[in-house]
Amino acid sequence: MNDYAPEPQIYILDTGGQYTHLISRKVRERGVYAEVRPSETPFAELKNAKGVIISGGPRSVYELGSPTVDPALLASDIPVLGICYGQQLIAYLLNGDVRKGDKGEYGLANLNLEPNAGPLFSGVKDHEQVWMSHRDTVFAPPNGFRILASTDTCSIAAIGNDATKKYAVQFHPEVVHTHEGRKVIHNFLFDICGCGKDWEPASRIPVVEQSIRDVAGDRNIFFFVSGGVDSTVAYSLCLKALGEQRVHGAYVDTGLMREDETDFVRKIFTSLGAEHFRVVDAQMDFLSALDGVTEPERKRAIIGEKFVQIQEEILESGPYLDGQWILGQGTIYPDTIESGGTAKADLIKTHHNRVAGIQKLIDENRIVEPLTQFYKDEVRELGGELGLPAEFLERHPFPGPGLAIRCLCADKDEPCVPTADGVIAPIHSVGVQGDSRSYRPVLIVKHLDHARATEAINADQRVNRVIGEVGYNIPLDRQSVIQSSITPGRMDRLRRVDAIVRELSHASGFDKEVWQFPVVLIPLGGDGLPDSVVLRPIDSVDGMTAQSVSMPEKLLHRMRDALLAVPGIAAVYYDLTHKPPGTIEWE
Ligand code: XMP
């Protein structure tokens, strides 16, 4: 499908950093089409670009096997901007001096521009706030380069060679904390590279429709719809391109959905004029398969297997496997690229088993993916242009296995254990510690202080999460872990508390301040009230790392009161854990 995208004016070379796609999005936001490539892409494939940006990354340039770029790029007359690792790499490859610094620099810093810092900083105020994250440092720039800026701890925070149009910055212009970052990117694109504006997602709709018609030919398209933004926008583009008779879709109601979700999805598809869209009710299949299961990976495996089985049945129940049908998918741009730190290996978990029928369609190349050029924000823009309601387009990401991974289970009754810092509850939740997943109990504290929670978690290796008490019907010293699995009753309880939190955070506007807001049901209670609620509002860029964020007190109290009034709820807690060490979901 990328044959239908414009030729990129800018390539972002990925050296494994978590912000590679963010750089590319920031370039596109300025109306310039950019694509990401592996850092080692041969120069011959880059030479038609107006400019190249080398991303940040976690490695050290002087280590054997760390990501590099084709030296021909730096010898060429194409403008290059190195960011963070990108700066170090340019300096290293051109014989500058790069070493580990005495002190790392993480977080906000003050950038001091040199007099006449040149075109990259044109219009940028002196003494601007920037965001830094590095340990390695450039100690001497390469020949022909001059120092353009410094910070208190980093005497070489930007370098440039105006003659060869090679520039580099140690800070991250792509993140919001760098106040003049946009200006720096703008200067590079328009003043240094001479880019023109060629990218406006909504105006691409006719091209995308044409691409759908070309790929489909006289065949029809079938979709599995998740209710998420991507598959819905992809579906509606196909409807627009081929008409409602030729596009069919099925949505599987697993019984693990949020309150009113299935009705909501049905309404959206009705409003799109999707005539051949159906809801397949598989609630009992999923719930009975999960009955008595407590272990998270087992839950995921069962949900994955059920999905496979039901999707297979749906494909076989119609004509969809014959040559007249192809499969539509909502794959978006970042999903198409496997490189360094941007690979979604950790994000896409075990439920993504391949359905044999789907595999057959892929093997035969019977697939249409209209969104592979676009980022999520761009997909939202397309959706708006296609008439999808903002309420739908602005939804937070929601995991495929649904509320099942927010409904914690326990294989036996077990008491909590008091410690110096609080109480350890033997509810095992998933976390990431080092490179692997951990599965540990949670520490309950009486305060809602993130800094103290972080200290406590660093000090106590037994736990991977800290939650603070918000309010209770049953005091903590009378609570214990109660044996439980996923039951229709607990799912209803979780749906209710989740709906209350969603409603209140929407009404207050708090939902706009967070990237995602899981609400988790944990089997911690007493005196006939078997469950507690954990609030987990987080901020994130892409889900790979996340910060627990605090909430206005008034809203928190309103939520607490509403949640404690739900039948069966013993207490309300607040997850104070960042990722790492705690994952976003509890599982
Ligand atoms: P964790 O819990 O690993 O989650 O910090 C990171 C992000 O991924 C989402 N997530 C999933 N999304 N299928 C999905 O489509 C899944 O199986 C799945 N598991 C986690 C999670 O909601 C968060 O945004």
Side-chain angles (χ1 to χ4, degrees):
M1 295 289 290
N2 268 332
D3 299 349
Y4 295 88
E7 175 101 352
Q9 296 188 67
I10 298 288
Y11 286 110
I12 322 296
L13 297 182
D14 180 19
T15 66
Q18 57 173 323
Y19 296 126
T20 305
H21 279 297
L22 189 59
I23 301 169
S24 165
R25 271 167 48 198
K26 293 290 161 186
V27 172
R28 290 191 186 187
E29 259 174 41
R30 312 238 72 73
V32 172
Y33 189 66
E35 288 189 5
V36 174
R37 291 284 183 276
S39 67
E40 270 128 64
T41 303
F43 176 64
E45 294 173 30
L46 308 171
K47 66 178 193 318
N48 292 331
K50 293 257 171 59
V52 171
I53 300 178
I54 306 173
S55 82
R59 302 282 300 270
S60 284
V61 290
Y62 45 78
E63 265 170 24
L64 205 65
S66 55
T68 188
V69 298
D70 185 342
L73 170 67
L74 298 182
S76 77
D77 53 13
I78 291 185
V80 176
L81 174 65
I83 295 178
C84 192
Y85 181 95
Q87 159 158 306
Q88 296 156 17
L89 188 60
I90 290 175
Y92 180 74
L93 292 175
L94 298 177
N95 296 318
D97 182 17
V98 183
R99 280 176 281 132
K100 196 173 285 307
D102 296 336
K103 270 200 277 181
E105 198 178 17
Y106 303 96
L108 300 179
N110 211 341
L111 190 75
N112 303 307
L113 291 183
E114 293 296 315
N116 302 320
L120 190 63
F121 292 98
S122 142
V124 175
K125 281 178 247 130
D126 200 357
H127 310 302
E128 266 306 314
Q129 173 182 306
V130 295
W131 193 79
M132 291 279 208
S133 176
H134 69 112
R135 180 78 200 241
D136 284 350
T137 300
V138 175
F139 282 91
N143 277 342
F145 280 72
R146 62 193 180 101
I147 298 171
L148 306 179
S150 60
T151 69
D152 290 346
T153 33
C154 177
S155 59
I156 303 186
I159 54 176
N161 181 335
D162 295 324
T164 63
K165 299 195 174 177
K166 304 293 179 279
Y167 295 92
V169 293
Q170 185 56 61
F171 61 90
H172 286 267
E174 70 278 21
V175 306
V176 288
H177 315 294
T178 296
H179 285 162
E180 295 271 56
R182 274 189 184 180
K183 185 87 189 123
V184 171
I185 291 174
H186 176 101
N187 290 342
F188 179 69
L189 297 177
F190 297 104
D191 300 343
I192 296 170
C193 301
C195 292
K197 294 204 176 189
D198 67 343
W199 183 246
E200 196 200 334
S203 71
R204 309 280 313 161
I205 290 177
V207 182
V208 174
E209 280 178 44
Q210 188 54 46
S211 75
I212 293 167
R213 283 191 286 271
D214 291 349
V215 172
D218 61 359
R219 299 173 298 181
N220 305 317
I221 302 181
F222 179 81
F223 268 91
F224 285 111
V225 172
S226 69
V229 172
D230 304 342
S231 63
T232 308
V233 171
Y235 192 99
S236 70
L237 282 165
C238 290
L239 271 183
K240 208 157 173 274
L242 300 184
E244 68 269 12
Q245 294 307 325
R246 292 180 58 194
V247 187
H248 290 199
Y251 163 92
V252 180
D253 184 348
T254 59
L256 307 170
M257 329 305 274
R258 304 175 112 173
E259 196 168 278
D260 299 330
E261 173 71 6
T262 300
D263 285 342
F264 184 72
V265 173
R266 200 185 271 120
K267 242 186 257 155
I268 295 279
F269 277 78
T270 307
S271 76
L272 289 174
E275 270 187 37
H276 295 283
F277 168 77
R278 66 186 164 122
V279 172
V280 177
D281 182 354
Q283 298 187 60
M284 282 328 290
D285 291 87
F286 280 86
L287 291 176
S288 55
L290 287 166
D291 188 28
V293 179
T294 57
E295 205 258 314
E297 277 302 317
R298 189 73 209 114
K299 285 191 326 200
R300 278 182 172 279
I302 289 172
I303 294 166
E305 284 157 20
K306 274 283 149 205
F307 257 117
V308 169
Q309 184 198 329
I310 287 163
Q311 291 190 333
E312 203 75 67
E313 284 169 16
I314 294 171
L315 283 175
E316 282 164 7
S317 72
Y320 307 119
L321 292 172
D322 77 26
Q324 265 315 99
W325 289 83
I326 62 177
L327 186 76
Q329 291 196 314
T331 317
I332 66 171
Y333 182 56
D335 303 337
T336 63
I337 305 185
E338 283 257 336
S339 52
T342 54
K344 288 286 188 289
D346 188 43
L347 211 86
I348 299 163
K349 301 210 176 123
T350 26
H351 92 286
H352 276 253
N353 301 2
R354 272 280 183 233
V355 177
I358 292 182
Q359 194 58 50
K360 173 174 147 64
L361 291 163
I362 292 172
D363 293 346
E364 293 170 5
N365 211 9
R366 286 161 56 195
I367 283 260
V368 62
E369 297 178 309
L371 299 177
T372 51
Q373 295 162 38
F374 301 100
Y375 282 109
K376 192 81 173 189
D377 319 348
E378 299 174 333
V379 172
R380 291 199 178 100
E381 237 176 284
L382 299 185
E385 191 69 18
L386 294 166
L388 286 160
E391 180 198 3
F392 173 75
L393 295 170
E394 282 158 16
R395 299 171 117 197
H396 293 157
F398 188 70
L403 294 177
I405 61 172
R406 297 180 180 172
C407 186
L408 274 278
C409 304
D411 55 6
K412 56 177 186 291
D413 291 346
E414 216 173 330
C416 297
V417 183
T419 70
D421 290 318
V423 163
I424 292 185
I427 299 162
H428 292 74
S429 83
V430 171
V432 266
Q433 280 165 315
D435 279 336
S436 52
R437 280 155 78 85
S438 67
Y439 188 49
R440 296 199 186 146
V442 51
L443 176 68
I444 303 179
V445 294
K446 291 278 181 184
H447 61 78
L448 293 182
D449 181 332
H450 282 99
R452 275 171 70 193
T454 304
E455 268 171 41
I457 213 166
N458 288 339
D460 193 337
Q461 289 302 308
R462 284 172 297 179
V463 300
N464 60 7
R465 252 176 227 281
V466 181
I467 59 178
E469 186 181 81
V470 177
Y472 55 83
N473 289 319
I474 308 294
L476 182 53
D477 59 13
R478 294 222 307 275
Q479 292 175 31
S480 62
V481 170
I482 298 168
Q483 181 189 22
S484 50
S485 66
I486 292 180
T487 59
R490 288 188 83 216
M491 286 310 294
D492 283 342
R493 189 173 293 141
L494 175 51
R495 264 191 277 273
R496 193 77 279 277
V497 294
D498 176 63
I500 289 172
V501 171
R502 264 200 298 166
E503 213 173 285
L504 291 174
S505 42
H506 183 66
S508 64
F510 184 66
D511 59 347
K512 297 248 179 338
E513 289 171 37
V514 294
W515 188 77
Q516 204 178 16
F517 193 166
V519 176
V520 185
L521 195 73
I522 58 175
L524 181 70
D527 297 355
L529 304 180
D531 284 309
S532 290
V533 180
V534 180
L535 305 172
R536 175 117 181 90
I538 55 106
D539 190 18
S540 178
V541 176
D542 54 9
M544 304 289 274
T545 61
Q547 290 76 47
S548 165
V549 293
S550 26
M551 175 188 300
E553 201 161 320
K554 220 165 115 191
L555 175 63
L556 184 62
H557 290 166
R558 208 174 296 153
M559 253 178 218
R560 174 197 63 196
D561 296 344
L563 294 171
L564 288 176
V566 173
I569 297 300
V572 177
Y573 296 101
Y574 204 100
D575 192 339
L576 301 167
T577 326
H578 303 307
K579 173 185 179 178
T583 43
I584 296 172
E585 306 290 352
W586 279 50
E587 316 228 344

